[in-house]
Amino acid sequence: MRIISITSLAILLLFIGLNYGCSDNKRPAVVFPKTDLAESPLIPMPVKMSSTSDAFGLDQYTAIKATGTDPGFEEVAEFLAEKIRTKTGLVLEVNPGDPENIDRMIYIQQTKIPGARGKEAYQIEIKKDSIVVNAEHPEAVFRAVQTLRQIIPETSNDTLADRSIWVIPTGLIADEPYFEFRGSMLDVARHFFSVEEVKKFIDLLAYYKINVLHLHLTDDQGWRIEIKSWPKLATIGGSTEVGGTGGGFFTQEDYMEIVAYAAKRYMTIIPEIDMPGHTNAASVAYPFLDGTGNPLKLYEGTRVGFSTFDTRRDSVYAFIDDVVGEIAAITPGPYLHIGGDESHATRPADYVHFINKVEKIVQKHGKRMIGWDEVATADMDSSSIAQFWASEKNADLAVKKGMKIIMSPAKKAYLDMKYDTVSKHGLNWAAYIPVDTAYNWSPERYSEGIPRESILGVEAPLWSETISNSTELEYLAFPRVIGYSELSWTLPEKRNWEGYRKRLAAQAPFLDRMNVNFYRSDLIDWKDSKFTYKEIPKD
Ligand code: ACM
């Protein structure tokens, strides 16, 4: 008797379990139009996508269930619920206690993905009654959630039932990135950007699976990060910016707030302290740092290459040790960028001496050094990374030294280059970069001397000589940075301009909803921000 009752209880529980989120029989069946998941305008394009032509109806009777030992899974589920709320107005419960009023479930599950190459591999299976997101790591689930956000249509279909339903095409997505490092850079030194402006940029980048934001924190025109042991760097060095419009700096608390905000989006912040050139603001604050002997004053112009630290003075290295130590201590990511570009006022032998010493300081503080490609002329450790922006010769040298390369060729990947001669903002010293040129190149084939195996990833830098707020930032960064996300995530054989062009056109409603001042290039037939669903009559 007892055994039977336990068995029947188990069967009952199993029955309840099977029905949990798996039925819409409490409400009249909805007849959905035929769908095609493969037509979803996803950017970046996933590795595999196949359609089963049915539909999952996202509505008020949907909930989200997260499993997994890592608390990151539930956090990502909450993130998804919040994004669904802001997009659709639907308030979906996460891990609902009572499944009574729930017809369909989105499962966020911790599962090993066979054959995954890294930590970001995920799969999404969309069926009529459930969406199952499988991944081993919360980071991968976060990427998967960006895919889901893109699949949910901007507007509901209100003709299918007595309630609004967002029609999600069924099928399977299996995905992982081509490059592990997918970045952008913001120059907060030439013009300062607020914490809120940086956060908005992070949100937009994360939506396109970009996982690195490099902050160019110091330059001739401004020092933008508080250093507690050298306070005048921020208070004096941070008081100006290009054009004489003020300045500003992040307190360490501000910086940590940005780091934490990025970390919630599985994005790594890379701090850059540019040296030995690009150091006028630091030397004005502490003149012993200066190696030029020229009169020092704060600078609000846009010339480069006139400043240098004194590379033969021990106290300069003690100073750098303090600065790197303080920044390393509040930077959880593995990298610290030391600039090293355009040090035209530093003698070549002094430059090599300097970079060699600074690399050791960065390592002492537990970080992996990144420098612009010029650093390859020093005696670099193979664990250090060269960011290729201008010199293929330097990049070749870096490859020969066993260093990894970040691909940021100015002619293709600099977000501050104008689109064309009539661009409202930007420069043109490297090139004009229209939206198609920004997309139509291959990081892995750009230079014979830089093979795929040496490439860590792609970064699109945004220098700020000509921009000073989010509106101007967005004009230069969007839509081009969306293309760089695809160049770094998507397999080479899956990238093509014509397909990308159509998918990019479909980003307009999202960008408009996010209040992004993107450049409406006439190479793209931008989709109207009012979603128009192709209705198929109910039978
Ligand atoms: C650079 O554009 N000076 C790295």
Side-chain angles (χ1 to χ4, degrees):
M1 262 319 270
R2 215 176 147 153
I3 290 170
I4 290 168
S5 68
I6 289 171
T7 312
S8 17
L9 184 65
I11 290 168
L12 181 68
L13 286 174
L14 185 67
F15 179 78
I16 292 169
L18 285 174
N19 277 279
Y20 185 63
C22 297
S23 141
D24 60 357
N25 60 12
K26 293 176 213 120
R27 275 158 279 280
V30 174
V31 179
F32 286 103
K34 232 177 147 39
T35 67
D36 188 353
L37 181 63
E39 286 292 304
S40 289
L42 299 180
I43 301 180
M45 180 67 120
V47 174
K48 278 191 201 138
M49 195 160 37
S50 60
S51 177
T52 49
S53 307
D54 218 323
F56 175 99
L58 177 71
D59 64 5
Q60 68 211 70
Y61 305 114
T62 311
I64 304 175
K65 188 163 172 50
T67 58
T69 48
D70 189 317
F73 283 79
E74 188 164 341
E75 269 173 39
V76 175
E78 294 284 0
F79 179 93
L80 175 62
E82 173 60 14
K83 293 303 172 193
I84 288 176
R85 190 186 63 74
T86 54
K87 182 167 190 169
T88 64
L90 295 171
V91 180
L92 304 193
E93 252 191 286
V94 175
N95 292 340
D98 174 16
E100 182 53 31
N101 220 10
I102 290 161
D103 296 344
R104 280 166 298 280
M105 194 67 88
I106 301 173
Y107 294 96
I108 307 270
Q109 298 193 150
Q110 185 167 22
T111 319
K112 228 177 157 54
I113 306 288
R117 282 188 293 115
K119 287 177 76 177
E120 293 178 287
Y122 70 87
Q123 291 179 351
I124 305 176
E125 188 172 12
I126 307 170
K127 296 201 221 164
K128 213 169 148 41
D129 297 321
S130 66
I131 296 179
V132 182
V133 177
N134 283 318
E136 189 175 358
H137 303 282
E139 187 173 343
V141 165
F142 186 80
R143 306 296 172 232
V145 158
Q146 309 317 308
T147 305
L148 263 185
R149 288 174 69 192
Q150 293 192 10
I151 292 172
I152 300 169
E154 279 293 326
T155 58
S156 59
N157 187 322
D158 296 345
T159 63
L160 297 171
D162 59 351
R163 59 195 181 274
S164 295
I165 299 182
W166 283 258
V167 178
I168 299 183
T170 56
L172 188 70
I173 294 174
D175 200 12
E176 63 183 336
Y178 186 58
F179 289 115
E180 69 180 78
F181 183 113
R182 306 175 303 278
S184 186
M185 183 206 85
L186 181 61
D187 172 9
V188 295
R190 269 51 175 274
H191 281 100
F192 184 60
F193 290 79
S194 68
V195 172
E196 288 314 308
E197 287 172 320
V198 176
K199 283 184 179 173
K200 184 179 179 195
F201 194 37
I202 287 173
D203 270 330
L204 294 168
L205 296 175
Y207 184 74
Y208 294 103
K209 302 189 176 70
I210 286 174
N211 64 350
V212 172
L213 178 63
H214 162 188
L215 292 174
H216 181 75
L217 291 167
T218 69
D219 214 303
D220 290 318
Q221 299 86 349
W223 182 285
R224 307 292 178 213
I225 177 85
E226 173 193 24
I227 302 296
K228 294 190 193 284
S229 53
W230 299 90
K232 287 195 279 187
L233 288 169
T235 55
I236 293 177
S239 63
T240 45
E241 63 178 11
V242 167
T245 43
F249 63 89
F250 298 128
T251 62
Q252 293 200 359
E253 288 68 31
D254 290 337
Y255 175 80
M256 286 190 284
E257 189 179 326
I258 291 171
V259 166
Y261 194 82
K264 272 213 169 305
R265 286 145 187 81
Y266 295 89
M267 185 181 291
T268 301
I269 296 292
I270 300 181
E272 178 187 348
I273 304 298
D274 201 352
M275 47 194 170
H278 291 276
T279 44
N280 181 71
S283 292
V284 173
Y286 293 105
F288 76 92
L289 296 168
D290 176 56
T292 68
N294 297 329
L296 292 168
K297 55 179 191 312
L298 291 166
Y299 182 65
E300 295 167 337
T302 58
R303 257 184 325 120
V304 298
F306 62 89
S307 56
T308 183
F309 277 167
D310 183 346
T311 60
R312 301 287 170 174
R313 186 191 272 257
D314 288 345
S315 54
V316 170
Y317 296 101
F319 163 87
I320 293 170
D321 190 69
D322 288 343
V323 170
V324 168
E326 284 195 34
I327 292 176
I330 53 173
T331 301
Y335 310 113
L336 200 143
H337 202 306
I338 61 116
D341 58 321
E342 299 174 312
S343 287
H344 307 316
T346 321
R347 284 203 309 267
D350 291 344
Y351 178 83
V352 167
H353 174 77
F354 179 86
I355 299 294
N356 289 351
K357 284 181 80 84
V358 173
E359 182 191 57
K360 298 287 171 298
I361 294 172
V362 172
Q363 289 173 344
K364 181 183 121 188
H365 290 287
K367 298 296 176 193
R368 199 168 163 191
M369 195 201 93
I370 305 177
W372 297 104
D373 61 50
E374 289 95 323
V375 299
T377 60
D379 308 319
M380 303 308 299
D381 191 276
S382 62
S383 68
S384 293
I385 297 160
Q387 184 165 7
F388 167 56
W389 68 282
S391 165
E392 292 191 40
K393 199 163 146 238
N394 287 340
D396 286 1
L397 207 53
V399 169
K400 291 203 176 80
K401 290 179 181 180
M403 301 168 73
K404 286 272 189 267
I405 311 290
I406 297 166
M407 294 298 287
S408 305
K411 288 180 199 153
K412 297 287 184 187
Y414 265 28
L415 287 167
D416 61 313
M417 291 299 114
K418 290 183 171 188
Y419 293 94
D420 54 31
T421 53
V422 294
S423 279
K424 275 197 274 181
H425 308 284
L427 303 170
N428 63 2
W429 60 262
Y432 289 106
I433 308 185
V435 177
D436 52 351
T437 304
Y439 181 83
N440 271 324
W441 63 288
S442 298
E444 66 284 358
R445 288 204 308 268
Y446 185 85
S447 167
E448 253 177 45
I450 314 175
R452 164 71 183 92
E453 316 80 76
S454 295
I455 299 174
L456 183 65
V458 181
E459 182 187 295
L462 179 50
W463 301 96
S464 65
E465 285 93 335
T466 67
I467 56 170
S468 61
N469 55 46
S470 280
T471 307
E472 295 166 358
L473 176 167
E474 287 159 11
Y475 171 87
L476 286 176
F478 294 90
R480 288 181 294 194
V481 76
I482 300 173
Y484 301 125
S485 93
E486 179 144 307
L487 291 187
S488 53
W489 179 284
T490 301
L491 291 170
E493 61 269 26
K494 290 249 163 183
R495 301 179 215 141
N496 73 80
W497 166 248
E498 276 310 317
Y500 172 72
R501 195 175 154 261
K502 291 198 188 77
R503 286 177 287 121
L504 182 59
Q507 304 306 307
F510 166 74
L511 295 171
D512 281 336
R513 184 163 58 83
M514 300 303 285
N515 199 21
V516 176
N517 178 42
F518 67 100
Y519 169 63
R520 287 181 183 261
S521 160
D522 58 14
L523 296 171
I524 309 297
D525 303 321
W526 297 104
K527 209 168 186 161
D528 191 337
S529 283
K530 198 174 150 302
F531 182 74
T532 48
Y533 196 82
K534 215 160 113 226
E535 282 177 28
I536 295 175
K538 287 182 226 181
D539 53 22

